[in-house]
Amino acid sequence: LGKSFIFEALDEQSRRDLTAFAHVKRYSAGDTVFDMGTPGQSMMAIAEGTVRVAMPTPNARDVTLAELTTGDVFGEIALLDGGERSANVRALTNCTLVVLERRALLEVLQRNPAFSIRIIELLCKRVRRSDERMMEIAFLGLPARLARLLLRITVAAPGSEEKPLTKLSLSQSEMASMIGNTRENVNRCLRKWQKSNLVDLKEGWLILLDRKGLEAIAEGE
Ligand code: CMP
């Protein structure tokens, strides 16, 4: 639990109370952790690995809401409001999860205001991100959404500040799922940007050749 910012706020006793009711579960890449619409009595902290939070759509394509990794938590919504799971969660890599049961968590929340505030902060962060996404999907076209995604996931490798490059851990289908579009359209857009020297794609690496150009597209210009 030490890997997760929300648990930093716990005092020793509360940490002991929580872990007494916690258990560890391991998943292989591709496994379902839970499905949307199922009842949920627990929250999970990711000790190791990455999961995808997604919602099914009527045309059978999932829309990715978030990818969460070591130190992140999920499952707090059904746990807190007693409703059903609001999204599907699948393991993208082999994962080790710490599963925290509702009763123990609620007791610790009631006794520990600092911990409650951390959970509220987490929910606020997710609402802000959801609002941003809703705005992007409602008002921005595919190029702006894709440019925003690329700028978000591209971290400059050491010594390459001028031309940040990133190992593309996301496939074009995954990018499409994150911005609510199709793989074909994402591919078409990336090829166009490659031709106009905005980006280069080489053996799984993405190189931002013209960050300013992409920033202008991200702003919808
Ligand atoms: P819960 O509804 O219990 O199960 C699905 C989980 O996915 C949910 O709790 C959250 O932890 C997580 N989740 C749902 N929507 C989002 C989102 N927009 N961003 C990040 N995580 C989310």
Side-chain angles (χ1 to χ4, degrees):
L1 297 185
K3 291 179 181 169
S4 192
F5 101 103
I6 68 163
F7 299 110
E8 282 167 10
L10 284 178
D11 56 53
E12 251 329 290
Q13 182 59 46
S14 301
R15 202 174 282 230
R16 268 200 300 273
D17 291 349
L18 255 192
T19 44
F21 289 94
H23 59 278
V24 170
K25 265 182 115 169
R26 289 177 217 285
Y27 293 85
S28 301
D31 283 355
T32 295
V33 179
F34 53 68
D35 279 318
M36 183 174 152
T38 54
Q41 292 290 321
S42 52
M43 182 173 101
M44 285 83 172
I46 307 177
E48 191 78 64
T50 305
V51 301
R52 175 185 296 140
V53 180
M55 268 182 147
T57 63
N59 62 16
R61 276 203 321 259
D62 278 3
V63 172
T64 302
L65 300 177
E67 285 188 6
L68 305 175
T69 190
T70 308
D72 288 329
V73 298
F74 62 92
E76 75 288 353
I77 296 180
L79 179 133
L80 291 172
D81 72 6
E84 297 170 338
R85 295 297 187 191
S86 61
N88 297 328
V89 178
R90 313 242 183 274
L92 279 184
T93 63
N94 293 347
C95 286
T96 307
L97 305 181
V98 181
V99 183
L100 301 156
E101 295 305 330
R102 181 166 208 260
R103 207 161 48 94
L105 202 94
L106 291 184
E107 272 173 26
V108 170
L109 275 171
Q110 271 161 4
R111 279 205 318 269
N112 210 314
F115 181 48
S116 306
I117 289 170
R118 287 288 169 94
I119 300 253
I120 293 168
E121 282 170 6
L122 170 81
L123 290 168
C124 292
K125 201 169 126 199
R126 290 188 174 160
V127 171
R128 278 182 189 278
R129 182 72 200 111
S130 293
D131 287 351
E132 240 175 67
R133 276 178 63 101
M134 198 171 64
M135 189 281 289
E136 289 175 8
I137 290 174
F139 295 108
L140 298 177
L142 166 72
R145 270 144 60 194
L146 185 58
R148 281 172 183 229
L149 175 68
L150 293 186
L151 291 167
R152 213 170 45 240
I153 64 172
T154 307
V155 181
S160 69
E161 283 76 14
E162 280 300 295
K163 286 182 183 168
L165 73 163
T166 189
K167 185 94 184 146
L168 267 187
S169 56
L170 293 175
S171 69
Q172 293 184 8
S173 305
E174 286 168 327
M175 287 189 216
S177 164
M178 292 179 91
I179 59 173
N181 213 292
T182 62
R183 192 198 62 79
E184 292 74 16
N185 287 341
V186 165
N187 182 266
R188 212 168 291 136
C189 195
L190 287 175
R191 297 276 158 232
K192 203 170 127 199
W193 288 351
Q194 197 173 17
K195 273 199 194 118
S196 48
N197 291 325
L198 282 162
V199 300
D200 202 4
L201 297 163
K202 266 195 196 120
E203 292 151 18
W205 289 82
L206 173 89
I207 304 164
L208 295 192
L209 297 175
D210 180 359
R211 194 178 180 88
K212 290 228 161 357
L214 270 189
E215 281 169 355
I217 295 172
E219 288 308 311
E221 289 166 20

